[in-house]
Amino acid sequence: MANKSSTDTDELLSKLDDLFTKAKANIKSISSKEELELERIRYTGRKSELTSILRGIKDLSPEGKQAVGSRANEIRIQVDQLIDQKRDQLIQENIEKLSNAEKIDVTVPSQLKNGHQHIISQMQAKIEDIFQRMGFQVVYPYEIDTDYNNFQAVNIPEGHPARDSWDTFWTEDDHIAVTHTSSMQNRVLKSSEPPIRVIVPGRTFRHEATDARHEHTFTQVEGVYVDKGITFADMLGTLKAFFSEFFEKDIQIKFSPDFFPFVEPGGMISIDVSDFGDTFKEVTKGTGWLEILGCGMIHPKVLEMGGIDPNVYSGFAWGFGLERLVMPKFGIEDVRHFYKGDLAFIRQF
Ligand code: PHE
């Protein structure tokens, strides 16, 4: 009996040691607080392995009960301590991880590229600067305007066939996304006394299919010059001077007659791009002349509607597409590059 009892005691003690060894290894490998709590229940809770080993204790001698009981108690306390230590360690590791994530090494060189103005904005600023030095003021257009300003005030009454030259976006309340910066001519004439020298750079909109030369949204620069005795030669001289400044070399220009209801005579000006590289030879179909703007002497009716006496004053106006000028300057063959948001393109300038 004593023998059996001591065997049972030894057996239970060695089961306890196995359990403790297993618990130590398990606790060591745990990596989350949740697992750790499960482990605590597993080893020390009411339905734990420890409790089930202790169930055998009732058959032992009093010495055996004493030995197994106190060993079990020690193990319970030690497992609890190990679990507490492990929890502290996990918490500490977590704090370190969080603070490492927030650490910023200010000595690492920046990978960010600085932003810069879009090429069209840069060139608009350059153009404004050139004309300001020539004595022009800069006025910006409305992007949404009335039929009156976009058409009627520049001698295109309702139903006039010339309206077909401008494919128009209409708003629901019959306003217009301006089709040209000529929409500002009437306001400019009405609001100032000659001499008037104004340019109007701004966005214009046309309801048209896009291709390498045409965008539905583009930038125009309008010019209006009114004074006593202004002639066609003044217009050619002003524009030639501007182009030569813009391209930073002497630019040849050519005038060909064309019709716009708000000028008389009116026409197109082309510039000589024969030495701008092959891309532009193609665009001009081998002629070397690139059509760049519409212009002419302001129609007497337009001056009148602007409150200016055409018997005393005369003037000229032009409108060019800014993108059309930037393309030959930088050898850009497709107008659609400008606004498609391609960073590789934009960063070149
Ligand atoms: N507004 C015209 C256009 O957009 C250009 C132009 C302006 C022509 C001024 C003559 C005078 O086509």
Side-chain angles (χ1 to χ4, degrees):
M1 190 69 184
N3 249 358
K4 177 170 193 295
S5 171
S6 86
T7 318
D8 286 349
T9 301
D10 290 347
E11 203 183 306
L12 287 186
L13 285 174
S14 95
K15 270 191 183 167
L16 284 175
D17 284 341
D18 288 350
L19 182 70
F20 188 44
T21 314
K22 204 167 77 180
K24 277 194 289 194
N26 279 352
I27 292 167
K28 211 171 167 188
S29 68
I30 278 172
S31 61
S32 81
K33 280 197 285 177
E34 294 71 25
E35 279 175 69
L36 204 59
E37 280 321 305
L38 291 176
E39 207 65 6
R40 192 197 293 280
I41 293 164
R42 188 161 148 210
Y43 289 109
T44 66
R46 263 192 320 120
K47 290 182 180 160
S48 67
E49 292 181 40
L50 193 68
T51 310
S52 74
I53 293 171
L54 286 177
R55 242 175 242 134
I57 208 172
K58 59 182 186 318
D59 301 327
L60 301 182
S61 63
E63 301 77 44
K65 278 184 182 148
Q66 157 76 39
V68 173
S70 73
R71 181 75 188 122
N73 228 7
E74 268 169 39
I75 290 177
R76 192 194 302 274
I77 291 168
Q78 285 184 23
V79 167
D80 265 336
Q81 276 175 356
L82 286 175
I83 286 177
D84 285 346
Q85 280 169 12
K86 183 70 183 186
R87 208 191 33 207
D88 288 350
Q89 183 198 332
L90 288 177
I91 290 171
Q92 190 56 36
E93 279 172 10
N94 211 18
I95 291 172
E96 274 165 25
K97 224 190 286 167
L98 284 177
S99 67
N100 278 341
E102 280 172 10
K103 254 181 219 155
I104 294 170
D105 181 353
V106 293
T107 65
V108 172
S110 164
Q111 300 295 311
L112 293 176
K113 291 215 166 59
N114 285 338
H116 64 74
Q117 275 198 321
H118 189 278
I119 180 64
I120 293 299
S121 305
Q122 292 177 45
M123 289 301 111
Q124 182 178 324
K126 183 181 169 86
I127 288 166
E128 289 177 9
D129 180 61
I130 295 170
F131 279 114
Q132 278 171 329
R133 280 188 278 119
M134 292 166 78
F136 285 77
Q137 273 181 291
V138 181
V139 167
Y140 299 106
Y142 291 60
E143 291 191 344
I144 304 291
D145 209 335
T146 56
D147 184 282
Y148 177 80
N149 279 307
N150 195 84
F151 288 131
Q152 296 167 39
V154 284
N155 201 25
I156 313 173
E158 243 168 274
H160 192 289
R163 286 191 177 215
D164 293 347
S165 327
W166 292 275
D167 305 288
T168 313
F169 286 117
W170 295 88
T171 69
E172 279 169 4
D173 61 350
D174 287 338
H175 280 68
I176 290 173
V178 295
T179 62
H180 54 181
T181 42
S182 303
S183 61
M184 284 300 283
Q185 281 196 15
N186 187 256
R187 285 197 189 86
V188 164
L189 297 177
K190 270 186 190 153
S191 64
S192 26
E193 295 287 319
I196 297 171
R197 286 186 292 265
V198 169
I199 61 161
V200 187
R203 288 209 295 173
T204 53
F205 310 87
R206 292 190 191 172
H207 183 243
E208 63 179 297
T210 59
D211 62 27
R213 310 280 141 224
H214 298 94
E215 261 289 11
H216 49 73
T217 301
F218 58 100
T219 316
Q220 268 198 339
V221 180
E222 189 88 1
V224 178
Y225 196 136
V226 178
D227 203 356
K228 284 182 181 154
I230 298 300
T231 67
F232 194 85
D234 294 318
M235 178 177 81
L236 296 182
T238 303
L239 290 171
K240 182 173 162 54
F242 162 70
F243 289 129
S244 301
E245 274 289 305
F246 181 76
F247 290 105
E248 292 161 31
K249 59 183 175 187
D250 188 45
I251 295 286
Q252 298 305 310
I253 65 173
K254 186 175 85 172
F255 179 86
S256 9
D258 200 347
F259 175 74
F260 299 96
F262 31 95
V263 284
E264 181 58 38
M268 299 292 295
I269 282 188
S270 306
I271 61 170
D272 178 10
V273 292
S274 49
D275 61 347
F276 277 63
D278 291 343
T279 317
F280 282 89
K281 277 212 192 85
E282 239 172 74
V283 173
T284 64
K285 299 182 187 87
T287 66
W289 291 103
L290 183 66
E291 274 189 355
I292 226 98
L293 61 73
C295 62
M297 300 307 287
I298 300 177
H299 197 288
K301 270 200 197 158
V302 173
L303 286 177
E304 246 167 39
M305 282 187 277
I308 287 172
D309 185 350
N311 298 311
V312 179
Y313 296 103
S314 57
F316 59 85
W318 75 81
F320 62 76
L322 173 46
E323 291 80 4
R324 283 277 172 107
L325 278 192
V326 177
M327 288 166 74
K329 187 169 170 73
F330 294 98
I332 299 162
E333 76 301 341
D334 191 323
V335 71
R336 291 168 296 192
H337 285 312
F338 289 121
Y339 302 118
K340 73 177 181 205
D342 174 359
L343 286 178
F345 171 80
I346 286 171
R347 284 186 179 137
Q348 296 174 79
F349 308 101

